[in-house]
Amino acid sequence: MLSALNVLGLFTTLASAAPAAVPEFPHILVTRQDIQTPVNSSLPNVTIFATGGTIASQGSTNLQTVGYQIGLGVQELVDAVPEILNVSNIAGYQVSNVGSGSINETISLTLAHMINDELAKDEIAGVIITHGTDTLEETAFFMESTVNSSKPVICVGAMRPATALSADGPLNLLQAVTLAASPAGRNRGTMITLNDRIGSAFYTTKNNANTLDTFFSTEAGQLGVFINQVPYFFFAPAEPVGRIKFDVSEFKSLAQVDIIYAHQDMNPALFNASIESGADGIVIAGVGAGGTSSKAALAAEQVYNATGIPFISSHRSSDGFVPNREDSWSIGSGFYNPQKARILLQLALTAGYSEDEIREAFAASYPMP
Ligand SMILES: *[C@@H]1O[C@H](CO)[C@@H](O)[C@H](O)[C@H]1NC(C)=O
Ligand SMILES: *[C@@H]1O[C@H](CO)[C@@H](O)[C@H](O)[C@H]1NC(C)=O
Ligand SMILES: *[C@@H]1O[C@H](CO)[C@@H](O)[C@H](O)[C@H]1NC(C)=O
Ligand SMILES: *[C@@H]1O[C@H](CO)[C@@H](O)[C@H](O)[C@H]1NC(C)=O
Ligand SMILES: *[C@@H]1O[C@H](CO)[C@@H](O)[C@H](O)[C@H]1NC(C)=O
Ligand SMILES: *[C@@H]1O[C@H](CO)[C@@H](O)[C@H](O)[C@H]1NC(C)=O
Ligand SMILES: *[C@@H]1O[C@H](CO)[C@@H](O)[C@H](O)[C@H]1NC(C)=O
């Protein structure tokens, strides 16, 4: 399909078609670069890490918007939007091609290792990750916590498959590349963009399982929007207060952290079941500001006393805040929702943090009484 791009007649071709070498990590999933578009040396360079999801999916008709199949590769994503090549030179890696419910620690660590390496190159302006939307915020938060660069890391997906009437993937992809190529995108942490909006990976969450207008952060708001495909930021560059960066260059796997969902009549035996299956830490998606039933709280405290594994109390409400309680068996998650609290606890445990250090890590993002 490279020839289709050359038809534009705008680009000089690479002297060598040999793909760039990728550093070897013992568990890394990707060993080859899948695409490299012809280079116009006055354009910025953006690298796409493709993982799958709806943006890479096709339905059987243009009306099908649920139950479709993943199958498009990174080359096909780029070919569908030739406008991208007026904005940036593109290199692309196919890291996985799965729905985002199947993104796992191998894929997250592969992305973190490869992206740190890519952004260390002077000629690279920024990177984008194409990803299913269901757990996009988890990978975005993982990158926020593990990529050590002032350059933009942009996470993007689509709510409608590529075959749908009014598919949103192509414009989302063009906007993501434009943002990754833009100096205005620097020093703002990892960002999520869909549906014309730009949000912080630290706070943005998926709010609706189906509609296009799903990614936003109620409390922290949006960082910016696209106007005529140009990113417009409401504020000067800023990064999330209390964000912690982990050096994951030596990480080959992550600690196991489970999330247990609180509700009326919740089953107190789940804490023990989780420990028995190997959990190193537990996040409770608590009712209100981190609560559970009194029976569940007693069971959790017994497990804590018996094992000493950290418990994080978060909230099952889509937004809000769980305060720290110094005398408690559990650590308040602050503003972190359960899925982001899980990632922070995984990274902290893998990095060897003590319980006090874990408490401080969570407390760093919110005001202490
Ligand atoms: C390279 O990109 C620059 C900046 O967009 C543009 O002005 C120029 O025409 C391009 N050159 C070629 C050969 O396409
Ligand atoms: C993009 O990369 C090419 C080499 O592949 C380099 O010649 C060019 O200067 C880079 N563009 C920018 C804006 O740094
Ligand atoms: C790229 O830019 C050139 C010059 O402005 C324009 O003629 C061409 O149509 C653009 N290509 C695409 C695919 O938008
Ligand atoms: C994660 O998923 C990838 C791709 O499906 C697979 O190759 C890898 O083995 C998985 N890792 C774990 C720890 O299950
Ligand atoms: C990030 O990079 C800076 C230097 O660029 C270094 O001082 C710092 O230790 C790095 N942080 C991590 C977590 O790797
Ligand atoms: C969980 O395990 C502990 C220690 O083995 C035991 O004392 C406790 O009764 C168990 N709790 C539940 C709810 O099964
Ligand atoms: C857990 O240990 C603390 C400190 O020893 C004790 O005060 C508390 O009663 C214990 N909780 C349970 C449920 O056994």
Side-chain angles (χ1 to χ4, degrees):
M1 295 295 256
L2 269 180
S3 56
L5 303 173
N6 282 332
V7 167
L8 295 172
L10 296 170
F11 304 95
T12 54
T13 44
L14 279 179
S16 160
V22 175
E24 296 271 340
F25 295 100
H27 58 286
I28 205 156
L29 288 170
V30 181
T31 54
R32 65 170 209 284
Q33 184 175 295
D34 293 278
I35 58 168
Q36 170 73 65
T37 59
V39 171
N40 173 340
S41 60
S42 59
L43 288 179
N45 301 293
V46 169
T47 305
I48 299 180
F49 294 85
T51 69
T54 298
I55 195 168
S57 294
Q58 294 173 295
S60 52
T61 72
N62 63 2
L63 300 182
Q64 187 180 11
T65 54
V66 291
Y68 40 79
Q69 300 293 315
I70 295 168
L72 301 178
V74 59
Q75 180 79 65
E76 288 155 304
L77 296 185
V78 172
D79 286 348
V81 197
E83 291 79 2
I84 284 174
L85 302 179
N86 273 358
V87 173
S88 172
N89 304 310
I90 298 289
Y93 294 91
Q94 190 77 48
V95 178
S96 63
N97 214 355
V98 298
S100 67
S102 299
I103 298 286
N104 59 28
E105 64 181 39
T106 317
I107 297 171
S108 305
L109 284 169
T110 296
L111 286 169
H113 290 152
M114 293 183 74
I115 289 172
N116 272 313
D117 203 63
E118 196 71 1
L119 293 180
K121 298 174 187 164
D122 288 341
E123 70 272 21
I124 301 295
V127 303
I128 79 168
I129 299 172
T130 61
H131 198 286
T133 57
D134 293 346
T135 70
L136 180 62
E137 67 193 90
E138 292 176 52
T139 297
F141 182 73
F142 193 88
M143 297 305 130
E144 175 82 286
S145 307
T146 60
V147 174
N148 193 13
S149 172
S150 59
K151 296 176 184 175
V153 177
I154 311 301
C155 299
V156 66
M159 290 301 290
R160 293 180 180 151
T163 43
L165 284 176
S166 299
D168 54 332
L171 191 59
N172 288 348
L173 187 68
L174 176 65
Q175 291 180 341
V177 169
T178 306
L179 181 54
S182 167
R186 289 186 166 222
N187 295 302
R188 295 179 184 275
T190 299
M191 289 171 274
I192 292 176
T193 181
L194 266 93
N195 205 36
D196 290 331
R197 295 215 172 85
I198 304 167
S200 158
F202 198 79
Y203 286 112
T204 300
T205 190
K206 185 176 180 181
N207 290 276
N208 187 298
N210 312 100
T211 63
L212 264 63
D213 195 17
T214 173
F215 280 91
F216 52 89
S217 155
T218 314
E219 288 302 323
Q222 302 304 127
L223 301 181
V225 293
F226 286 90
I227 297 171
N228 253 344
Q229 321 327 326
V230 176
Y232 176 81
F233 284 98
F234 301 124
F235 307 101
E239 302 201 24
V241 172
R243 183 210 38 217
I244 296 171
K245 289 284 189 193
F246 292 86
D247 176 358
V248 296
S249 55
E250 302 298 324
F251 288 12
K252 295 173 180 62
S253 60
L254 298 172
Q256 179 185 328
V257 175
D258 293 345
I259 299 175
I260 296 180
Y261 196 94
H263 52 86
Q264 294 181 353
D265 291 321
M266 75 184 283
N267 180 354
L270 291 180
F271 300 113
N272 277 352
S274 178
I275 300 297
E276 279 156 24
S277 72
D280 304 302
I282 291 177
V283 173
I284 300 173
V287 295
T292 63
S293 68
S294 51
K295 275 188 198 167
L298 183 65
E301 186 175 351
Q302 280 169 350
V303 171
Y304 172 76
N305 280 3
T307 63
I309 71 145
F311 277 77
I312 309 297
S313 292
S314 182
H315 49 77
R316 65 176 209 178
S317 309
S318 65
D319 230 319
F321 171 79
V322 179
N324 208 349
R325 292 168 291 190
E326 286 297 341
D327 58 340
S328 169
W329 49 271
S330 81
I331 295 170
S333 73
F335 292 108
Y336 295 104
N337 68 19
Q339 54 272 34
K340 291 181 185 182
R342 171 179 173 272
I343 290 168
L344 178 55
L345 183 55
Q346 282 186 295
L347 289 167
L349 285 167
T350 310
Y353 279 35
S354 68
E355 186 178 338
D356 282 347
E357 288 169 330
I358 291 169
R359 202 175 277 278
E360 281 166 27
F362 278 89
S365 72
Y366 60 85
M368 295 297 284

